[in-house]
Amino acid sequence: MLLLDISIAGAPLAIIVLVVVAGLITFIQVMKSVYRKRAESGLAEQFADQPSKSPLDGRNKYPGANVFKHSGTFFNLGLAITMGLTVLAFGWTQYEKIIDVSGYMDTLEEDIELEPPRTAEPPPPPPPPPPPVIEEVPEEEILEEEEPEFVDQSVEADTEVEQEPIVEAPPPPPPPPPPPPKQETEEIFKVVEQMPRFPGCEDMSGSEKEKKACADKKMLEFIYKNIKYPAIARENGVEGTCVVQFVVERDGKVTDAKVVRDIGAQCGQEALRVVELMNKEGIKWTPGKQRGRSVRVQFNLPVRFKLE
């Protein structure tokens, strides 16, 4: 028994279906036109003297307009078209988009130099104040100093001294409550013994280096499968590498994603969108480990934009 391996992509299949539908519509319109012309060609006068021989023959007024004589042909044609479309439907193959990321693997190995954040320059110091102006005072306005008046405050032995009433001081206010204990923020590492990895390669056999290379490949495939080159960057020929910095948490989620190097033309925003898409699709990384314990690790991801 000969088996045919028929595989056809979605676009050619859609074109074939449209061609078949258009052909059927055209065929129906042609047949309607043919029988309409026959009905208008004076069939009543041609068959006026030929009475029907039997009730079965009389189901059509005129033999020239009998469409039932082609029923077998139409049935076979419809059967052939149906079988053909069925075979094509079973042969429909949806090909997975293949992304070659071999040219982007070297970007992960490069030393990423991040530009220091730009701070506003401090304003210049104010100019020194002008020196004081000394004005000369005329002698007429100088007043002689008055001699101080001395008051006798001596106390004799028989003088009665009244003691002032003692006013009790109010109680001191209660001490303020102790400040709440500061929540210690968990340390974020930049380099650990086992760096975080994109999921998908944990079940493979091999060394940690091989698993890391496999995870990097799958991560780049995810990035460049979902990224869309911004139209404004394509129109202006903008190319380059953006860097998105994020933290891989102990549970594998991606947090604190931000663009630390941008080439403009909305490329940085697009790279950030794809990184945040990981959480929306429920992708969890294999967390980084330090001394066998899962820790938070900062990750710098370069995303290259290149026109083809």
Side-chain angles (χ1 to χ4, degrees):
M1 182 177 180
L2 181 62
L3 297 177
L4 297 178
D5 185 10
I6 300 176
S7 61
I8 184 171
L13 178 62
I15 294 174
I16 292 174
V17 172
L18 291 176
V19 170
V20 171
V21 172
L24 288 176
I25 294 175
T26 304
F27 178 75
I28 292 172
Q29 296 297 329
V30 169
M31 295 303 297
K32 288 175 65 176
S33 176
V34 169
Y35 279 99
R36 187 181 297 109
K37 290 181 179 179
R38 289 184 182 181
E40 295 174 354
S41 61
L43 293 177
E45 291 78 6
Q46 294 179 14
F47 298 96
D49 300 334
Q50 298 180 9
S52 177
K53 297 180 181 180
S54 68
L56 294 177
D57 295 336
R59 65 180 179 177
N60 298 308
K61 289 185 178 181
Y62 312 112
N66 184 14
V67 297
F68 293 99
K69 62 182 179 181
H70 300 294
S71 59
T73 303
F74 293 157
F75 177 78
N76 293 331
L77 178 62
L79 184 62
I81 293 174
T82 303
M83 292 298 296
L85 292 177
T86 303
V87 172
L88 291 176
F90 278 105
W92 176 30
T93 304
Q94 187 174 4
Y95 297 96
E96 185 177 356
K97 185 179 179 181
I98 300 176
I99 301 175
D100 184 15
V101 296
S102 57
Y104 300 95
M105 295 293 292
D106 57 342
T107 58
L108 299 177
E109 305 297 334
E110 296 178 357
D111 292 334
I112 302 175
E113 297 181 359
L114 302 180
E115 298 179 359
R118 298 180 180 179
T119 57
E121 296 182 359
V133 179
I134 302 176
E135 297 180 359
E136 184 179 358
V137 180
E139 297 180 358
E140 299 176 355
E141 296 183 2
I142 300 177
L143 302 178
E144 295 182 359
E145 295 183 359
E146 297 180 357
E147 295 182 0
E149 182 181 357
F150 294 94
V151 180
D152 184 13
Q153 297 182 355
S154 59
V155 179
E156 298 180 358
D158 56 350
T159 304
E160 294 183 3
V161 179
E162 295 182 0
Q163 184 180 3
E164 297 182 357
I166 300 175
V167 180
E168 295 182 0
K182 295 183 179 179
Q183 296 181 355
E184 297 183 358
T185 57
E186 193 172 353
E187 183 180 0
I188 298 177
F189 293 85
K190 292 185 178 181
V191 179
V192 291
E193 297 173 354
Q194 180 180 326
M195 293 296 290
R197 295 195 295 262
F198 194 81
C201 300
E202 296 305 314
D203 297 334
M204 67 172 292
S205 58
S207 62
E208 292 294 328
K209 186 176 180 181
E210 293 174 347
K211 291 183 178 180
K212 182 69 167 59
C214 173
D216 291 344
K217 182 180 179 182
K218 287 188 176 296
M219 176 185 64
L220 292 177
E221 289 177 353
F222 173 83
I223 294 295
Y224 292 103
K225 178 181 178 181
N226 294 280
I227 204 165
K228 298 177 182 177
Y229 214 109
I232 186 173
R234 188 183 299 276
E235 293 172 359
N236 293 278
V238 177
E239 294 182 344
T241 301
C242 297
V243 178
V244 180
Q245 186 180 91
F246 55 87
V247 176
V248 180
E249 299 289 343
R250 293 190 303 169
D251 58 355
K253 290 184 179 180
V254 173
T255 60
D256 299 336
K258 58 183 177 181
V259 180
V260 293
R261 184 198 292 174
D262 195 358
I263 59 175
Q266 300 180 356
C267 293
Q269 293 89 328
E270 178 62 19
L272 181 63
R273 182 192 67 83
V274 177
V275 171
E276 293 176 344
L277 187 63
M278 298 179 187
N279 287 335
K280 295 180 181 178
E281 295 191 1
I283 297 176
K284 290 189 176 182
W285 287 51
T286 301
K289 291 186 178 181
Q290 181 74 6
R291 298 179 181 177
R293 183 174 61 92
S294 298
V295 293
R296 305 175 70 196
V297 182
Q298 179 179 297
F299 195 92
N300 295 325
L301 174 63
V303 181
R304 180 185 297 174
F305 289 85
K306 184 177 180 181
L307 293 172
E308 298 179 355

